């Protein structure tokens, strides 16, 4: 037995012995054959490491073929035999000096692949020589070897200065060398995100673009991928790069094409839309994408996944190419489903007739999955293109007539969605639906049908009979159907109370007494109590008008979409997940972002799907499925969460300002604010800890001089309340969108510390752990000041409140709207994305104290033509001094805020328009407060 | 970046395994094989993930060509590369099979070493590779009766030898140095794939042609070759010429080695073909076919008795009379629950059968001359037939092959090798059109 076992895994002793003899033979041919045999055994998984010394002995030969074979063996076993591998070092070093460039390159290539620490030190000198070799073949091999060495011993590479040599190779005369240097540098740079290794500037970019035209197709891919990481300075540079990249679109290698598409999609972002070139570029992008669909199925699928992203970002590129997405009967199913998805995304009023005719054909095909998806697609068309709804419904009715079981069920599910989008419009079809009641055997279809019956109970004469028939097998139904049935019967009862009393009793008792499903029981009890205590209220609750479902179904969330666009042509674009979700370690986890477009006026009218600001969202529209965007839009309708100082101008000044000083230093240290106010820097660190010392300037009222003096005369008077107004928590992330994790939250400023108050609720069935939070770059550099402290695992149905202190030291990027914050929350299940908006007042520091001279100087600094004047109507001074105090206080506060703004503006991020939009963007309160803000902000505009 | 590359036989035997970055273990081969064999129909086979390792594979010559990666590389790059690797293996070993890969493992390892370094793809061009490759191919020529039939015949130029023998193109590009017997041959193929959708009333709803010019070169030294296409060839949608006979394509792409300086005026492609197979030009044409679609179908579907459907098909071939369509097969979906079928066909070489598993009937015609019209009557028994079931009949799909024919009308006017080319070289030009997806709705 033992012998057999060995025979399977290792070469048998006999074999080894025989090979050994052959390896030591004098004849070259015999040696070669022997090494080949050894490698063949190695490939099938036999252990031939025992032959290591004998194989290494064959290394010193002038026969290149034999040498290559020996090197192949070495690479495989060096790791398990490090001591033996040292024996080979001398030959390597010697080979690196060989007159034949093939041997030099072979030696340096193989040495890099021997991942043994001891060897690396011997490698440095030969590598240094090879990097400067006269033969480009050796140089290009050496360039890759630097990356290999870096992978084994990063420190060594840095110490030996190989990185600089590698950078020099970017200017090499041979394009292959350039391409490999770029590839090696890109990989090394990924593990050092801040090293600025690939120092991309217009000069190097120019070199790369020149090399692009000359190197092999694979080298072109490295270079294009590297270009995609560059941020052009302005739209002109962006255009010139685009112009030089566009010829790649007609390359025969689809990988080159996609890398070029990625560069163009990214740089296009910077081009003004009214530019002629922008339109030309859009036109040029379509043909290569269409051509990809003629490739083999694997490539087609990958291409379609990418096109799916591109279509969501820029539907205009492919809007005339609908036909190419029509499925062919011999497409594999995964290609068919992707095509269907893209067809819906491209559907518009112009082409809807064509699309529907196609979909109707698909619905009669053989493949069940495909047919179902086609029927769903018809429903999505109806919801997306309002003009087509009627035609869609009649198409669906035709399909129901076929009586093909799964077609009917699928049709009923989508008709339910259509009812929710267009209530009271297509109810005439209900009769047809009811005819098919008996054939429904899938829970989703049954639930949909029950919903329809309940919703339109008053128009269906025998609604009670229908629902009663479902009730018979209540306990055998799935939860989905049970819940739906319960609700439907309650609806029916509220509409026709007289004849259905018995029925409702029956269902309530079934749900509450005979069921052990807590969801069902709870819902049952709620209805029961509602009905028994206040039937009128019950009616209002149960029969309330439902929000409409949105037309843009399952779009990818915009932040994710942006990131994925930066990763076009990579695995991320196939999975539709950011690389951080599937690549381990540091590599490739940096989030990439699209550049901001030049010309700010434009972004407002950007017609891009999924890019619309909250103001464009029609109220009371919720998405029908998996649509985070819709949720976010909804949530934006929450009451404006702006600090209202007039609410309680209570006298908490002392404590308040103490902390304010602390915050100042926090802000100052990180963002170098101008006009520092005497706060003790030490307080910055101790979050929320009450500082021991009073800032010196506090309480010392400056001497009064003129009207302006009043502004400063508030010393210990009125203070911003410590825990100023905090908006109630709103739901930011719905449980159904986040595998059961619901997050609601708000922002607060307490004691000078910005805090994000979160409630995490676990609505899933399993325990959640390992929470972490991360912000995307945002306008004011908000970032978590520490990790999110969720120490205990969150068990099902448990809620935990977390207060996350925020700092303003994160990376800055202008958001639209300005106060938008994109957040990623991770737990043991997945990563979820949502975005929320914080009140701008969050950023205002409490201590507005400013030295008078400084204030006056600042005031004068502002050009006169920036001053705007208008009347303030809403201030009622007769209500006592209080308002004056408030007004003064606010002014004072804002002189401080001026600095915050100025700081932002020094970064040249905001022009006057965006401050304007900031004012308009529903950030500020109505009334006097609002008016004052406007004055001050306008005064402080910087052109 | 590619982490590993391996080639597996269809039974899962390890033929080639190469680890480029030492970051994944060899077990991944078995993991991959388990995953790929367990795939169900609705899963996409293109990219598969196992923990943090991602597999991308293609299947060619009955073998799995697999790359694994731990980073976020371009799947296009990897798929293109694997296809290229398979093509190169075929070029170097003559054919693509488990046997040829097994016999030439040393050569393939050597190729891989030059093609990929540390997971970065270096080159796939035979021109560059031939400078480095030392190992010679071991040819595994299958025994073929065709070879025997070619022998002798007293030196007469038979019809047979005028046609490029089908096995001629499947031999290694690098014939062993000792034997100079390798013929100086070059094959130029114009291959088109035709997709057509014909609506229920015989209206042409969609048609497109994907075409390519492919060359396979066995010339020992590379020298410039000039390929002349139809002079009246026009490119792009906007350029409508006055007369209708113009040959037009919407868009074309070229191999990067193709020089186009004479293309705009004379429609001549200049290329120095490297040894092996390469696609010189790809083109496509959407919607406006220069000729009528090759087949028209006149179907009628009726309910006969209670449980029987009558499907009467009349099929006309609109090719010119000299041409012939080969291996025509027609698939007609039939209602669910069809149990048996009887048919009336017009000639004995045709066959028809009911495939209840696919819910379809298949009608096959080996040769279909241009201008001819064939008809067939199928009686399908469907227990429990309803009038709605009739809707399940259709759409009809067809597959066929049109030899010596291009639907776009693209022709190769001439094929000239530079005069410096020593020795006699044989040049072959072949045309073929395949059906990619040919659908006729009822």
């Amino acid at each position: 037995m033992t012998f057999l076992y060995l025979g399977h895994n290792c070469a048998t002793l006999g074999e080894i012995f025989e090979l050994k003899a052959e390896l030591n033979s004098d004849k070259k041919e015999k040696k070669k054959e022997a090494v080949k045999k050894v490698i063949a055994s190695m490939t099938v998984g036999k252990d031939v490491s025992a032959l290591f010394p004998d194989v290494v002995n064959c290394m010193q030969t002038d026969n290149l073929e034999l040498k290559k074979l020996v090197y192949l063996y070495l690479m495989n076993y060096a790791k398990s035999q490090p001591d033996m591998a040292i024996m080979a070092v001398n030959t390597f070093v010697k080979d690196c000096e060989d007159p034949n460039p093939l041997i030099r390159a072979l030696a340096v290539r193989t040495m890099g692949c021997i991942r043994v620490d001891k060897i690396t030190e011997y490698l440095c000198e030969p590598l240094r020589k090879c990097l400067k070799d006269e033969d480009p073949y050796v140089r290009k091999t050496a360039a890759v070897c630097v990356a290999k060495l870096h992978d084994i011993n990063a420190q060594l590479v840095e110490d030996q200065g190989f990185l600089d040599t590698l950078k020099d190779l970017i200017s090499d005369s041979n394009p292959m060398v350039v391409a490999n240097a770029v590839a090696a540098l890109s990989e090394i740079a990924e593990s050092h995100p801040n090293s600025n290794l690939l120092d991309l500037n217009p000069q190097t970019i120019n070199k790369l673009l020149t090399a692009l035209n000359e190197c092999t197709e694979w080298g072109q891919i490295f270079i294009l991928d590297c270009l995609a990481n560059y941020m052009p300075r302005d739209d002109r540079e962006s255009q010139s790069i685009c112009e030089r990249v566009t010829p790649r679109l007609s390359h025969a290698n689809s990988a080159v094409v996609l890398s070029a598409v990625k560069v163009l999609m990214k740089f296009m972002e910077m081009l003004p839309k009214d530019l002629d070139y922008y339109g030309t570029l859009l036109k040029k992008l379509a043909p290569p994408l269409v051509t990809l669909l003629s490739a083999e199925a694997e490539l087609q699928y990958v291409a379609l996944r990418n096109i799916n992203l591109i279509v969501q970002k820029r539907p205009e590129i492919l809007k005339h190419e609908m036909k190419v997405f029509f499925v062919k009967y011999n497409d594999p199913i995964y290609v068919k489903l992707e095509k269907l998805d893209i067809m819906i995304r491209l559907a518009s009023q112009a082409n809807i007739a064509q699309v529907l005719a196609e979909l109707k054909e698909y619905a009669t095909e053989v493949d069940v999955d495909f047919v179902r998806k086609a029927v769903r697609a018809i429903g999505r068309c109806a919801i997306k293109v309002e003009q087509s709804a009627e035609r869609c419904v009649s198409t669906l009715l035709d399909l129901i007539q076929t009586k093909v079981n799964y077609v009917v069920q699928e049709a009923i599910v989508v008709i339910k969605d259509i009812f929710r989008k267009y209530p009271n419009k297509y109810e005439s079809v209900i009769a047809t639906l009811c005819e098919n009641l008996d054939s429904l055997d899938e829970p989703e279809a049954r639930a949909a049908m029950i919903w329809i019956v309940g919703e339109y109970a008053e128009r269906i004469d025998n609604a009670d009979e229908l629902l009663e028939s479902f009730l018979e097998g209540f306990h055998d139904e799935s939860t989905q159907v049970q819940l739906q049935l319960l609700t439907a019967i309650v609806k029916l009862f509220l509409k026709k109370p007289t004849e259905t009393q018995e029925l409702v009793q029956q269902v309530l008792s079934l749900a509450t007494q005979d069921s052990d499903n807590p969801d069902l029981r709870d819902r049952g009890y709620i209805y029961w109590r509602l009905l028994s205590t206040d039937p009128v209220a019950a009616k209002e609750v149960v029969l309330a008008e439902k929000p409409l479902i949105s037309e843009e179904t399952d779009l990818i969330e915009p932040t994710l979409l942006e990131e994925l666009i930066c990763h076009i042509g990579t695995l991320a674009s196939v999975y539709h997940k950011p690389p951080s979700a599937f690549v381990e370690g540091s590599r490739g986890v940096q989030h990439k972002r699209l550049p901001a477009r030049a010309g700010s006026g434009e972004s407002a009218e950007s017609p891009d799907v999924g890019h619309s600001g909250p103001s464009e969202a029609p109220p009371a529209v919720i998405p029908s499925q998996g649509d985070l965007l819709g949720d976010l839009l909804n949530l934006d309708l929450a009451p404006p969460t702006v600090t209202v100082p007039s609410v309680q101008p209570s006298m908490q000044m002392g404590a308040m300002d103490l902390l304010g000083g602390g915050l100042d230093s926090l802000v100052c240290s990180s963002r170098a604010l101008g006009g520092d106010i005497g706060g003790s820097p030490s307080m910055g660190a101790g979050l929320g800890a009450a500082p021991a010392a009073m800032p010196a300037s506090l309480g010392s009222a400056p001497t009064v001089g003129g009207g302006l003096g009043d502004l400063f005369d508030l010393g210990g008077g009125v203070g911003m309340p410590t825990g100023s107004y905090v908006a109630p928590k709103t739901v930011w992330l719905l449980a159904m969108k986040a595998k059961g994790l619901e997050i609601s939250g708000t922002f607060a400023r307490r004691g000078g510390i910005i805090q994000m108050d979160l409630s995490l609720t676990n609505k899933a069935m399993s325990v959640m752990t390992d929470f972490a939070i991360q912000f995307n770059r945002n306008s004011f550099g908000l970032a978590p000041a520490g990790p999110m402290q969720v120490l205990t695992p969150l068990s099902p149905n448990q809620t935990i409140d977390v207060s996350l202190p925020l700092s303003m030291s994160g990376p800055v990027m202008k958001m639209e709207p300005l106060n938008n914050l994109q957040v990623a929350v991770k737990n043991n299940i997945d990563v979820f994305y949502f975005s929320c908006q914080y009140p701008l007042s969050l950023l205002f520091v409490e201590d507005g104290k400013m030295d008078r001279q400084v204030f006056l100087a600042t005031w004068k600094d502002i050009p006169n033509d920036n001053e705007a004047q208008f009347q303030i109507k809403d201030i009622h001074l007769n209500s006592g001094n209080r308002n004056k105090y408030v007004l003064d206080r606010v002014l004072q506060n804002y002189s401080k805020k001026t600095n915050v703004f100025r700081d932002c503006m020094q970064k040249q991020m905001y022009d006057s328009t965006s401050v304007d939009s900031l004012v308009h963007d529903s950030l500020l309160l109505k009334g006097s407060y609002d008016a004052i803000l406007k004055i001050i902000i306008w005064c402080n505009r910087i052109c | 970046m590619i982490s590993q590359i391996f080639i597996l036989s269809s039974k899962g035997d390890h033929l080639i395994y190469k680890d480029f970055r030492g970051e994944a273990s060899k077990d991944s081969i078995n993991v991959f094989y388990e995953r790929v064999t367990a795939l169900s129909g609705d899963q996409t086979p293109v990219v598969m993930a196992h923990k943090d390792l991602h597999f991308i594979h293609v299947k060619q010559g009955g073998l799995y060509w697999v790359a694994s990666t731990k980073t976020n590389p371009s799947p296009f790059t990897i798929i293109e590369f694997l296809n290229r690797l398979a093509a190169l293996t075929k070029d170097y070993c003559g054919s693509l099979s488990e046997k040829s890969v097994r016999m030439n493992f040393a050569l393939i390892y050597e190729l891989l070493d030059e093609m990929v370094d540390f997971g970065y793809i270096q080159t796939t061009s035979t021109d560059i590779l031939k400078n480095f490759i030392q190992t010679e191919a071991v040819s595994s020529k299958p025994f073929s009766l065709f070879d025997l039939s070619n022998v002798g015949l007293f030196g007469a130029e038979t019809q047979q030898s005028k046609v490029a023998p089908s096995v001629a193109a499947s031999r290694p590009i690098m014939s062993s140095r000792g034997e100079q017997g390798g013929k100086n041959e070059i094959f130029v193929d114009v291959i088109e794939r035709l997709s057509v959708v014909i609506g229920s009333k015989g209206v042409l709803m969609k048609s497109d042609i994907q075409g390519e010019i492919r060359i396979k070169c066995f010339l020992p030294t590379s020298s410039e070759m000039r390929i002349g296409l139809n002079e009246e060839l026009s490119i792009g949608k906007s350029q409508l010429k006055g007369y209708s006979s113009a040959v037009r394509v919407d868009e074309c792409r070229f191999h990067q080695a193709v020089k186009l300086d004479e293309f705009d005026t004379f429609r001549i492609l200049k290329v120095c073909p490297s040894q092996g197979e390469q696609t010189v030009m790809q083109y496509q044409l959407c919607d406006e076919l220069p000729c009528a679609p090759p087949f028209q179908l006149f179907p009628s579907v009726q309910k006969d008795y209670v449980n029987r459907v009558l499907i009467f098909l009349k099929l006309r071939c609109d090719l010119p009379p000299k041409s012939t369509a080969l291996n025509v097969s027609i698939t007609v979906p039939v209602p669910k629950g069809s149990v048996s079928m009887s048919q009336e066909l017009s000639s004995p070489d045709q066959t028809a059968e009911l495939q209840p598993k696919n819910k379809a009937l298949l009608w096959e015609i080996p040769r279909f001359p241009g201008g001819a019209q064939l008809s067939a009557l199928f009686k399908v028994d469907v227990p429990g037939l309803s009038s709605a079931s009739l809707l399940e009949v259709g759409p009809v799909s067809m597959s066929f092959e049109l030899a010596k024919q291009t639907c776009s009308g693209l022709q190769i006017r001439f094929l000239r090798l530079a005069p410096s080319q020593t020795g006699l070289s044989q040049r072959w030009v072949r045309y073929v059109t395949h059906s990619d997806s040919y659908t006729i709705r009822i």
Side-chain angles (χ1 to χ4, degrees), chain A residues 43 137 187 294 296 330, chain B residues 21 83 109 114 120 193 436:
Chain A
T43 304
Y137 179 67
E187 187 184 341
S294 59
E296 48 274 49
N330 51 354
Chain B
R21 298 176 63 92
N83 283 333
Y109 275 125
E114 297 295 343
Y120 305 128
R193 287 182 296 153
D436 182 19

Side-chain angles (χ1 to χ4, degrees), chain B residues 98-114:
Chain B
E98 187 178 335
K99 192 175 163 207
S100 66
V101 171
R102 259 188 214 282
M103 286 169 75
N104 289 294
F105 73 92
L107 173 64
I108 296 172
Y109 275 125
E110 198 183 354
L111 277 171
L112 271 176
D113 250 344
E114 297 295 343

Side-chain angles (χ1 to χ4, degrees), chain B residues 7 11 37 42 77 80 122 136 150 167 182 231 234 248 273 296 302 340-341 346 353 372 376 379 426-428:
Chain B
I7 305 176
K11 297 188 296 292
T37 42
D42 55 343
T77 313
E80 287 269 3
Q122 300 293 303
E136 271 181 31
N150 230 358
V167 291
E231 271 182 275
S234 70
R248 194 182 65 82
Q296 274 289 10
Q302 282 166 13
S340 60
M341 178 180 84
S346 55
E353 61 168 331
K379 297 173 186 162
Q426 289 180 328
R427 290 159 288 169
W428 304 96

Side-chain angles (χ1 to χ4, degrees), chain A residues 427-715:
Chain A
E427 281 68 28
S428 51
V429 308
I430 291 176
T432 322
L433 302 186
C434 291
E435 288 165 20
N436 293 287
L437 214 57
D438 301 329
S439 61
L440 308 180
D441 53 11
E442 289 162 24
E444 202 181 352
R446 286 172 84 85
M449 191 64 221
I450 293 170
W451 183 87
I452 293 171
V453 174
E455 192 65 20
Y456 298 100
E458 68 274 25
R459 309 188 193 192
I460 307 172
D461 295 333
N462 59 344
D464 47 344
E465 284 169 36
L466 293 176
L467 291 176
E468 200 169 359
S469 69
F470 280 104
L471 205 56
E472 280 159 21
F474 189 76
H475 289 298
D476 301 328
E477 300 283 3
S478 73
T479 316
Q480 186 186 12
V481 180
Q482 288 175 333
L483 288 169
Q484 209 51 260
L485 193 53
L486 172 62
T487 308
I489 292 180
V490 173
K491 280 181 191 163
L492 174 68
F493 170 70
L494 290 167
K495 288 174 179 173
K496 301 178 180 172
T498 43
E499 60 253 62
T500 56
Q501 208 149 7
E502 206 171 303
L503 194 60
V504 81
Q505 288 285 354
Q506 203 183 337
V507 76
L508 286 175
S509 80
L510 276 172
T512 53
Q513 285 158 27
D514 301 342
S515 168
D516 45 11
N517 180 329
D519 283 348
L520 187 63
R521 263 198 330 251
D522 287 354
R523 195 185 282 194
Y525 279 125
I526 291 172
Y527 283 141
W528 203 325
R529 288 191 190 131
L530 259 177
L531 291 173
S532 57
T533 45
D534 190 351
V536 180
K539 204 163 186 169
E540 270 169 29
V541 172
V542 179
L543 301 181
E545 202 168 304
K546 269 159 275 314
L548 301 178
I549 55 174
S550 91
E551 56 233 43
E552 267 316 327
T553 42
D554 54 21
L555 278 177
I556 293 177
E557 192 260 324
T559 6
L560 180 61
L561 181 62
E562 284 213 346
E563 185 171 359
L564 290 178
I565 290 285
C566 296
H567 288 289
I568 280 181
T570 69
L571 278 185
S573 67
V574 179
Y575 290 137
H576 287 188
K577 282 183 196 161
S580 52
F582 61 86
V583 177
E584 241 183 28
S586 60
R587 248 189 255 134
V589 288
Q590 299 121 285
H591 290 273
K592 293 187 179 170
R593 284 283 160 256
L594 291 177
R597 186 183 297 275
S600 62
E602 235 208 309
S603 49
E605 43 92 8
S606 149
D608 298 351
V609 189
H611 226 21
S612 51
S615 49
E616 290 164 37
V621 168
I622 59 158
S624 64
Q625 37 183 296
D627 180 358
L628 187 54
L629 170 72
D631 283 344
L632 294 170
L633 294 180
N634 251 345
L635 293 170
D636 292 333
L637 303 169
T641 52
V642 175
T643 322
V644 191
S646 57
V647 173
Q648 36 160 194
S650 55
M651 307 292 126
Q652 298 169 342
M653 182 67 184
M656 181 60 224
D657 270 358
L658 282 175
L659 292 168
L663 182 95
D664 257 351
S665 58
L666 188 73
V667 174
C668 290
S669 58
S670 58
R671 323 195 76 216
L673 268 181
D676 192 7
I677 295 146
S680 65
S682 62
M683 292 170 202
L687 290 181
M694 289 271 274
S697 64
L698 226 166
S700 61
T703 46
V704 182
L708 190 62
D710 289 349
L711 280 176
F712 294 90
D713 202 11
L714 290 159

